[in-house]
Amino acid sequence: MAGREPRRTHSLTASGAWLEPEEGDALRVLARQLAAETDTSALLQILCESGAAQCGATGAAVLRAVAREAEVVAASGELTSVRTHRFALPAALAREVLRTRDVVAVESFSGSEKPLQRVAPALRIGPMLLGPLIAHDTVLGVIAVTRDVGDRPFAARDIHRIRAISDY
């Protein structure tokens, strides 16, 4: 029929999660941004900003494992202050993400006595969601998105979004 817009369908991510049409659009924009960028630091920053935007977060970071430590290699929002910080990996949530290759959610990070909190005690973080960054079946690091203390926890929809971003 003339004048009708084509019906938009849901997108299926690599992890098998269905996304709403606007979420699929956001992932296509992310894919174009990543394809156009060759600088690793800039790529990681794009992932931070996209993760925060897609999950309604106030901060985001990308962590990489370095021996028995995790290092914050990119950050945005409230996590910008911890960029370049290193902390013990064995007791960190990032280790659990790397071990399981799955998303980990925490309702309140501040006061958790986790290694990042110990190296940056002034950091006030409420809910946190972490997912493995995977390319060609290799875990490259961890993406984390955060909300302020007292904000609502991340929902199942946010978990699907971070999985889609981290697996894209």
Side-chain angles (χ1 to χ4, degrees), residues 37-45 74:
E37 188 56 64
T38 57
D39 178 55
T40 302
S41 295
L43 287 168
L44 297 177
Q45 194 62 38

Side-chain angles (χ1 to χ4, degrees), residues 115-131:
L116 177 59
Q117 190 68 55
R118 288 195 296 269
V119 299
L123 198 58
R124 297 288 172 246
I125 298 172
M128 179 183 268
L129 191 59
L130 301 96

Side-chain angles (χ1 to χ4, degrees), residues 22-27 29-30 33 44-61 75-79 129 143-147 152 154 157-162 165:
E22 62 275 4
E23 293 171 313
D25 291 344
L27 287 176
V29 168
L30 174 61
Q33 287 176 316
L44 297 177
Q45 194 62 38
I46 290 168
L47 286 171
C48 281
E49 292 166 8
S50 180
Q54 288 295 307
C55 295
T58 55
S76 68
E78 65 190 353
L79 296 179
L129 191 59
I143 185 168
V145 293
T146 62
R147 290 185 176 146
R152 64 183 164 75
F154 289 101
R157 186 175 186 165
D158 300 312
I159 292 170
H160 290 303
R161 288 175 177 168
I162 204 69
I165 290 167

Side-chain angles (χ1 to χ4, degrees), residues 8-132:
R8 302 189 64 179
T9 59
H10 291 71
S11 298
L12 182 64
T13 67
S15 62
W18 288 99
L19 299 173
E20 296 297 322
E22 62 275 4
E23 293 171 313
D25 291 344
L27 287 176
R28 282 186 280 284
V29 168
L30 174 61
R32 282 193 295 275
Q33 287 176 316
L34 295 175
E37 188 56 64
T38 57
D39 178 55
T40 302
S41 295
L43 287 168
L44 297 177
Q45 194 62 38
I46 290 168
L47 286 171
C48 281
E49 292 166 8
S50 180
Q54 288 295 307
C55 295
T58 55
V62 172
L63 316 169
R64 71 176 175 149
V66 181
R68 295 186 47 84
E69 292 183 316
E71 179 183 13
V72 181
V73 293
S76 68
E78 65 190 353
L79 296 179
T80 302
S81 64
V82 295
R83 184 179 292 145
T84 72
H85 279 59
R86 285 186 176 207
F87 53 92
L89 187 58
L93 292 169
R95 182 179 186 285
E96 184 67 14
V97 172
L98 294 170
R99 188 183 67 75
T100 63
R101 294 178 147 223
D102 201 5
V103 174
V104 171
V106 179
E107 286 193 27
S108 181
F109 182 79
S110 286
S112 66
E113 297 299 317
K114 292 294 182 188
L116 177 59
Q117 190 68 55
R118 288 195 296 269
V119 299
L123 198 58
R124 297 288 172 246
I125 298 172
M128 179 183 268
L129 191 59
L130 301 96

